[in-house]
């Protein structure tokens, strides 16, 4: 279990660092997201959809406020289109995180854990608990992105990963978009 926790901790720190850099540098704030989405609503809903999807996809590389984006998608686009936009963004982010980590994950794992035995132990532990971790990952910021990357790194079957990711993401996107659509 220790090797898996080490990998999770390192990935969490990487994602948290990107969030902190973005947050404290002022490059991307929640107010910026609101301004972009509000400006896009005056033009065409397709642009709002595009911004929502793009921001959620970028979340796999740079931690952004996912819940805020999903809420605002519902607020500016309404429940149906906002929910669909949030869902497309979250599902795409999960797939991209999985496949990028599948392609480059072994190299990253070797950097984090030098011992082949301990890397295999981390993979075995994630194989045992990964499904539950993915299902519960939306309850904590950054953890869902870490789980998507761990699934790719450990070569979890994509169908298994994507089913768990769907179960975790569909209600999240729809509930957040609905909440945004009925809020003032």
């Amino acid at each position: 279990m220790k090797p898996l926790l080490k990998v999770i901790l390192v990935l969490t720190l990487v994602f948290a660092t990107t969030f902190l850099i973005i947050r404290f540098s002022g490059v991307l704030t929640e107010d910026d997201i609101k301004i972009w989405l509000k400006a896009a609503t005056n033009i065409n809903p397709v642009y709002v959809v595009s911004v929502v999807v793009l921001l959620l996809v970028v979340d796999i590389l740079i931690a952004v406020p996912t819940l805020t984006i999903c809420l605002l998608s519902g607020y500016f686009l309404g429940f149906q289109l906002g929910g669909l936009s949030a869902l497309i963004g979250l599902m795409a982010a999960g797939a991209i995180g999985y496949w990028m980590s599948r392609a480059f994950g072994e190299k990253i794992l070797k950097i984090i854990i030098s011992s082949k035995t301990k890397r295999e132990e981390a993979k075995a532990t994630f194989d045992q608990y990964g499904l539950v971790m993915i299902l519960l990952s939306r309850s904590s910021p950054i953890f869902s992105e870490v789980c998507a990357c761990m699934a790719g790194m450990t070569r979890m079957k994509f169908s298994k990963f994507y089913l768990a990711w769907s179960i975790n993401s569909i209600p999240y996107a729809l509930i957040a978009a609905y909440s945004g659509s009925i809020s003032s």
Side-chain angles (χ1 to χ4, degrees), residues 55-92:
L55 286 170
L56 291 172
V57 167
V58 165
D59 186 42
I60 202 66
L61 300 171
I62 301 168
V64 297
T66 306
L67 181 58
T68 301
I69 295 166
C70 293
L71 285 164
L72 289 172
S73 71
Y75 179 77
F76 289 114
L77 294 167
F79 169 62
Q80 291 85 0
L81 193 53
L84 181 63
S85 303
L87 190 56
I88 290 169
L90 291 175
M91 298 306 287

Side-chain angles (χ1 to χ4, degrees), residues 1-181:
M1 183 67 107
K2 275 180 140 179
L4 178 63
L5 291 175
K6 181 178 180 181
V7 174
I8 289 172
L9 180 63
V10 169
L11 291 176
T12 301
L13 288 173
V14 168
F15 281 112
T17 300
T18 64
F19 175 75
L20 293 173
I21 289 169
I22 296 296
R23 184 73 157 185
F24 291 121
S25 69
V27 172
L28 178 67
T29 66
E30 289 181 20
D31 290 334
D32 291 336
I33 293 168
K34 289 176 189 174
I35 290 167
W36 293 347
L37 290 172
K38 190 170 185 166
T41 57
N42 295 328
I43 303 168
N44 187 328
V46 172
Y47 294 118
V48 180
V49 170
S50 300
V51 170
V52 168
V53 171
L54 179 66
L55 286 170
L56 291 172
V57 167
V58 165
D59 186 42
I60 202 66
L61 300 171
I62 301 168
V64 297
T66 306
L67 181 58
T68 301
I69 295 166
C70 293
L71 285 164
L72 289 172
S73 71
Y75 179 77
F76 289 114
L77 294 167
F79 169 62
Q80 291 85 0
L81 193 53
L84 181 63
S85 303
L87 190 56
I88 290 169
L90 291 175
M91 298 306 287
I96 291 167
Y98 175 90
W99 288 111
M100 279 183 14
S101 296
R102 189 168 177 120
F104 304 109
E106 192 62 35
K107 292 175 186 171
I108 295 168
L109 279 175
K110 284 180 182 177
I111 292 168
I112 298 171
I113 303 173
S114 58
S115 165
K116 182 176 173 66
T117 307
K118 292 195 185 244
R119 281 195 309 272
E120 293 305 319
E121 181 185 334
K123 289 177 182 180
T125 306
F126 190 80
D127 188 47
Q128 184 176 2
Y129 299 107
L131 185 66
V132 172
M133 291 170 67
I134 294 166
L135 290 171
L136 299 175
S137 66
R138 288 274 171 218
S139 63
S140 176
I142 300 173
F143 194 54
S144 56
E145 293 85 357
V146 169
C147 285
C149 292
M150 286 299 304
M153 285 179 171
T154 60
R155 299 198 174 274
M156 175 186 271
K157 282 182 65 175
F158 182 71
S159 57
K160 182 179 177 180
F161 161 73
Y162 218 58
L163 176 63
W165 189 262
S166 298
I167 291 169
N168 136 337
S169 297
I170 292 171
Y172 181 86
L174 297 179
I175 291 169
Y178 177 74
S179 298
S181 73

